[in-house]
Amino acid sequence: MLNKQRFDYLPRAIYEVFDELDIRKGHLANVVIEPNIALYLPMVTYVYVSKTEPRLAKRLKIGLEKLLVSGELKTILDKYYQEDIKRADLKNRTIIEIPNPNFTDKAVLKENLYWYKNYL
């Protein structure tokens, strides 16, 4: 649809945009990654656990928080996403922040430890 100019842009996450375009570049001659701006729309990832497994939910929460505080979670994220983050060259783009109307947990938004942008 983008290639056929039925709309002007399709927002993609940093970890999606380069691979998606690289895989399809032979079919998407009219599509480019905008080089000067980036959209910042807060999104979270949740791990859902059955209500019948509260011990598992608690263990996952404790383990992920330990990884976060120790910096190990950032190391894992860097292993998989650092190349895309560097390729995005965010420091040379105008970042347009867009509030996410579907994300209502304001307390999580204020918790800097949870947001990867604070490690860039």
Side-chain angles (χ1 to χ4, degrees):
M1 301 266 301
L2 188 58
N3 196 44
K4 300 259 185 206
Q5 299 179 347
R6 292 186 179 134
F7 48 83
D8 295 322
Y9 73 96
L10 175 66
R12 306 305 294 148
I14 288 174
Y15 64 86
E16 298 169 317
V17 67
F18 298 109
D19 287 342
E20 288 180 6
L21 189 57
D22 288 347
I23 290 167
R24 295 169 181 88
K25 64 183 165 190
H27 306 292
L28 301 176
N30 298 322
V31 177
V32 297
I33 297 170
E34 205 296 323
N36 300 307
I37 63 172
L39 303 178
Y40 172 68
L41 178 69
M43 300 291 272
V44 296
T45 300
Y46 292 103
V47 176
Y48 291 94
V49 177
S50 169
K51 288 181 181 181
T52 64
E53 297 293 340
R55 285 181 37 218
L56 177 59
K58 184 176 180 178
R59 181 63 190 112
L60 283 169
K61 183 178 190 308
I62 291 168
L64 286 169
E65 286 177 351
K66 283 182 180 181
L67 288 172
L68 186 63
V69 170
S70 74
E72 289 177 80
L73 187 57
K74 182 187 181 308
T75 300
I76 293 167
L77 291 172
D78 285 347
K79 177 179 176 181
Y80 293 99
Y81 302 119
Q82 191 61 37
E83 183 180 320
D84 290 333
I85 291 169
K86 285 180 184 175
R87 194 170 170 189
D89 193 26
L90 295 174
K91 63 181 162 272
N92 291 312
R93 292 175 182 263
T94 299
I95 308 294
I96 299 170
E97 294 194 28
I98 301 172
N100 184 344
N102 299 314
F103 187 65
T104 58
D105 189 349
K106 303 299 183 203
V108 172
L109 282 173
K110 292 178 184 176
E111 182 56 63
N112 284 334
L113 191 60
Y114 293 148
W115 295 98
Y116 195 75
K117 75 175 193 168
N118 295 304
Y119 298 103
L120 298 176

